[in-house]
Structure formats: structure tokens, C-alpha cells
Amino acid sequence: MKVYLDNAATTALDPEVFEAMRPYMLDLFGNPSSTHSHGRVVRAGIEKARKTIAELLNTTPGEIFFTSGGTEADNAIITCNVDTYNIKHIITSKIEHHAVLHTVEHLRDIGKVKLSFVNLDRDGCIDYDHLEELLKTNDKSLVSLMHANNEIGNITDIGKVGEMCKEYNAIFHSDTVQTMGHYVHDLSKLKIDGITGAGHKFHGPKGEGFMYVSKKSRFHPFILGGAQERNMRGGTENVYGIIGVAKALEIAYRDMADHAKYIQGLKDRMIHNLKERIGDIHFNGQSGIADKSLYTVLNCCLPESDDNDMLLFNLDINGISASGGSACSSGASKGSHVLEELDRNSKRGAVRFSFSKYNTPEEIDYAAEKLAEFYKVEV
Ligand SMILES: Cc1ncc(COP(=O)(O)O)c(C=O)c1O
């Protein structure tokens, strides 16, 4: 049996998305910047995709810009805001994705900004009072706090952070890569300057995503060389990627309520299964608490064992794909920077299961059974 439980790393392309992309891979090949009919029809496709995304997020098409994915979008919003608005102070957390963490650390290392990390509690939750303190005691800041953590699923109250940033005149960026397509983002209500999306996290194509940049905080771009994306990102567009991302988001919103319920059911089943089969188990961060964590992510804190290094390998042998941390660090020998920040016994193994609409209850039972076998628990 082959079981894919690494959907926070990437998801399978939805066949409906592929069908929407197909014409742009074959017949509709014109360059969208060309003014002739071959180009114009493709330009129209891109603008329709932009309008679709803007409508779903309750914003205007002029505030949506296509990028190569989440990493580029996070980099652009942070770096370009710092340059354009001469920001000298960034507030972030130690459990951000490396797309954010490495960017802000680089800006600190080259002397452009001072960096402050907001305090986290033992489960990786943000201390909002400390955030306010940091905002109060520093000059105009840029705050970058992710909406949901890709490893432990913790959800940040971005509504609250947005209000605080507004009060203290700070720029607010949130990496929404893990929530995009899984939760509703109503940009008419959020006080936020930039958010990001990556198509491959919600059954769209890899290598294509977008950023929302509020018209109040437009910045000078960092990819120069063409007037594409209204001068915000040079380079010929990844046309079929753009069409695919918009279609994937449309489907995600269309089916969101049903899929959220179904996927939460899978996660609950896994929690129940694991608690029954492996008594000595709990869940890292807030990932075991419904409503406080992504319904797509469960990060298990497993029993102590000398064999824990072999866990992912063992699951893999049994056809189960899961992760020890984020996709970027799975397979690499370096431990997770997120788990490191939690108050946990590092001798206990950790595995992240992440679910999608394509998983089945049978797959959940099979994975739980194999995990219990690894810990030699009677099944
Ligand atoms: C929270 C978060 N931010 C950013 C990224 C990077 O997105 P992309 O792979 O599209 O560059 C990821 C992907 O793992 C992610 O989980």
C-alpha cells in the first residue's frame, strides 16, 4: 500500500486543475506581452486568473501579483518593504519558515535591520503582550508572523496582529502559504499589507504562487527587467502555472467546507488511533487541538526509542510518506528549528503527518498500525 501523508510539503495536482491548464500548455502558447492575437488571448487568461484570486480573497486584482511560489513572495514582500520604506526593525518569530527566517536574518546580517524575536510559550504560541511591547518600544517596524506553522500547525490570530500593527503604524506581512486554499482570507477585513500563496499546497501546480500587496504598501520590485505584473515582477509569466493556481484556489473555495470537515475527520481518526495503539504519545505544539491548529497537520511526539532515527525510513519502507519536520529539512540530517523552540523532550521521536482530500480512512488506519508496529505495541 502506498500512502501519501506529506501534504504540507506538497499536494497532488487536481485533475480538474490540469484540464484548465492543458490548453495553455498546447494551443495557447503566445507570449502574454505580445500585442497580436496569439498574445492577447493568453493575456486575457492571466487577467481572468488574477480576477478570480482577487474575488476569492475579497480584494482587487491590482493587489495580486504572480510569483514563482511562496518563497519568492515572502522574500519580495519583506525585502522590498524594508528597502522602499527604509524599515530599520523587523519583528518575527523563531518558528517561521526558512523563506522568512533566512530573509530577515540576511537583512540583519548585512546591517540593514535590527531583528527582534517575539516570545513563544512552551507550545510555540505567540506572546501577544510581548509583541505589543516590541511594537511600542521600537521605531516603525515590519512584522512578519506566519498564519499557520507548517510543522506543528499552530494558528496565529492574524486579525489581532493586524490591529496591533495598525495601532503602532507597523507593516504587517504574514506567510499564509499553509492556510491559503484551506481557510477563508477576507482581505477587506484584515489589516494586513502582504500575504502569500503557493499553488502546490492546495492541489495546484508547483513553482507558481502569488502575493497580495495592499495598494497602501506598494513597493519597488526586486526582479527587474520587464514590465510584467505591472512592473512588480519582471520576466515572462508562467502562464499555465498561473491558470492552474487560480483554478486550484477556485476549487478550494468551492469545496472548502466539505473538505475541511472530511480532513479534520481524518486527523481526528489518526489521533484516536494513535492514542489507542500507542499509549505514550502526545502531539507537538498545538497540533492535537482542533480549532487551534491546521486541520491538515498532525505533529506526533512519539515514545523515546534508540531507533527513532530509523522511523521515517521504516515508514517509507512500508509505503508511507511522512515528514520529520518541514519538507525542506526532511531527509537532511539537521533537526527541525521549529521543534527545537518547543519545550519538549528531544529524545522522543517526531513525525508530521499531513492530510488532504485524497487520503482515506483506510490509509490512516494503515499508517497508525505501522507506527504502532515500529514501537512494538500490540496491534
Ligand atoms: C509556511 C511556508 N512558507 C513558505 C513555503 C515555501 O513555498 P514554496 O515551496 O512555494 O516556495 C512553504 C513550503 O514548504 C511553507 O510551508
Side-chain angles (χ1 to χ4, degrees):
M1 193 171 187
K2 280 270 187 202
V3 180
Y4 183 74
L5 291 174
D6 202 11
N7 290 282
T10 198
T11 55
L13 190 72
D14 186 321
E16 217 184 318
V17 173
F18 177 64
E19 285 312 321
M21 293 166 70
R22 187 200 287 270
Y24 292 86
M25 294 171 145
L26 297 168
D27 302 332
L28 304 176
F29 62 86
N31 187 320
S33 296
S34 301
T35 51
H36 50 59
S37 66
H38 282 81
R40 285 199 309 272
V41 66
V42 177
R43 164 67 47 215
I46 291 181
E47 294 316 319
K48 185 162 170 268
R50 195 187 315 280
K51 190 160 174 273
T52 300
I53 294 176
E55 281 173 4
L56 293 169
L57 303 183
N58 211 359
T59 187
T60 61
E63 294 173 292
I64 300 295
F65 301 93
F66 292 107
T67 66
S68 65
T71 303
E72 183 194 323
D74 286 334
N75 268 263
I77 295 175
I78 296 169
T79 305
C80 298
N81 266 303
V82 165
D83 284 343
T84 308
Y85 297 104
N86 201 21
I87 301 288
K88 299 281 181 225
H89 180 234
I90 292 182
I91 303 170
T92 190
S93 85
K94 289 203 170 147
I95 60 171
E96 297 299 304
H97 188 275
H98 283 149
V100 167
L101 219 42
H102 288 176
T103 305
V104 296
E105 284 168 354
H106 173 71
L107 291 169
R108 176 197 59 196
D109 293 347
I110 60 172
K112 278 201 171 169
V113 298
K114 181 181 118 185
L115 197 52
S116 298
F117 292 102
V118 66
N119 291 341
L120 302 171
D121 73 8
R122 63 200 308 271
D123 286 326
C125 301
I126 285 164
D127 176 344
Y128 294 99
D129 292 336
H130 183 228
L131 175 61
E132 182 157 22
E133 195 57 35
L134 289 172
L135 282 165
K136 224 188 256 179
T137 50
N138 283 282
D139 289 341
K140 189 175 169 79
S141 305
L142 181 144
V143 174
S144 182
L145 291 171
M146 69 203 311
H147 190 191
N149 187 278
N150 48 303
E151 293 193 39
I152 52 175
N154 286 16
I155 295 179
T156 302
D157 185 346
I158 55 172
K160 183 173 172 157
V161 176
E163 294 294 343
M164 285 163 80
C165 288
K166 186 163 181 260
E167 190 181 339
Y168 294 100
N169 191 29
I171 292 176
F172 179 30
H173 158 251
S174 184
D175 174 340
T176 50
V177 166
Q178 288 292 339
T179 49
M180 187 60 64
H182 301 285
Y183 292 79
V184 171
H185 294 92
D186 182 348
L187 289 167
S188 72
K189 297 211 175 93
L190 288 169
K191 308 273 184 299
I192 201 157
D193 298 283
I195 66 169
T196 55
H200 71 117
K201 307 288 187 183
F202 49 92
H203 305 287
K206 293 174 185 41
E208 187 57 35
F210 59 87
M211 55 187 173
Y212 155 80
V213 178
S214 133
K215 49 176 158 321
K216 286 186 238 102
S217 43
R218 278 290 284 273
F219 47 69
H220 301 299
F222 76 167
I223 299 187
L224 306 170
Q228 292 90 353
E229 295 301 294
R230 294 181 312 294
N231 285 311
M232 282 285 276
R233 198 234 182 206
T236 301
E237 296 88 338
N238 171 1
V239 177
Y240 31 82
I242 289 172
I243 302 295
V245 166
K247 187 69 186 174
L249 198 65
E250 191 184 313
I251 295 169
Y253 269 74
R254 184 190 71 197
D255 300 338
M256 195 178 281
D258 287 347
H259 286 160
K261 192 161 168 242
Y262 177 71
I263 298 167
Q264 181 70 54
L266 295 176
K267 177 171 163 174
D268 292 346
R269 190 181 182 103
M270 182 65 104
I271 292 174
H272 177 79
N273 243 320
L274 292 177
K275 278 188 177 161
E276 254 197 2
R277 292 169 195 259
I278 310 170
D280 181 22
I281 188 165
H282 52 265
F283 302 101
N284 289 314
Q286 299 217 294
S287 76
I289 312 171
D291 297 336
K292 295 217 162 163
S293 66
L294 288 170
Y295 55 84
T296 47
V297 168
L298 183 66
N299 196 311
C300 310
C301 187
L302 299 160
E304 280 187 37
S305 161
D306 291 341
D307 295 336
N308 273 338
D309 282 353
M310 299 301 288
L311 173 64
L312 285 181
F313 180 61
N314 181 277
L315 290 174
D316 196 16
I317 285 176
N318 284 294
I320 301 160
S321 296
S323 165
S326 64
C328 331
S329 55
S330 56
S333 54
K334 209 163 170 280
S336 149
H337 70 285
V338 175
L339 296 183
E340 221 165 75
E341 293 302 320
L342 307 182
D343 182 15
R344 64 184 292 277
N345 172 356
S346 58
K347 289 201 196 108
R348 296 180 71 105
V351 63
R352 179 189 71 182
F353 292 118
S354 45
F355 316 99
S356 86
K357 61 183 180 179
Y358 293 131
N359 289 122
T360 64
E362 293 72 34
E363 291 177 343
I364 301 300
D365 296 348
Y366 174 75
E369 183 187 316
K370 291 295 161 198
L371 199 62
E373 271 177 24
F374 181 80
Y375 289 102
K376 300 182 183 55
V377 184
E378 288 296 319
V379 288

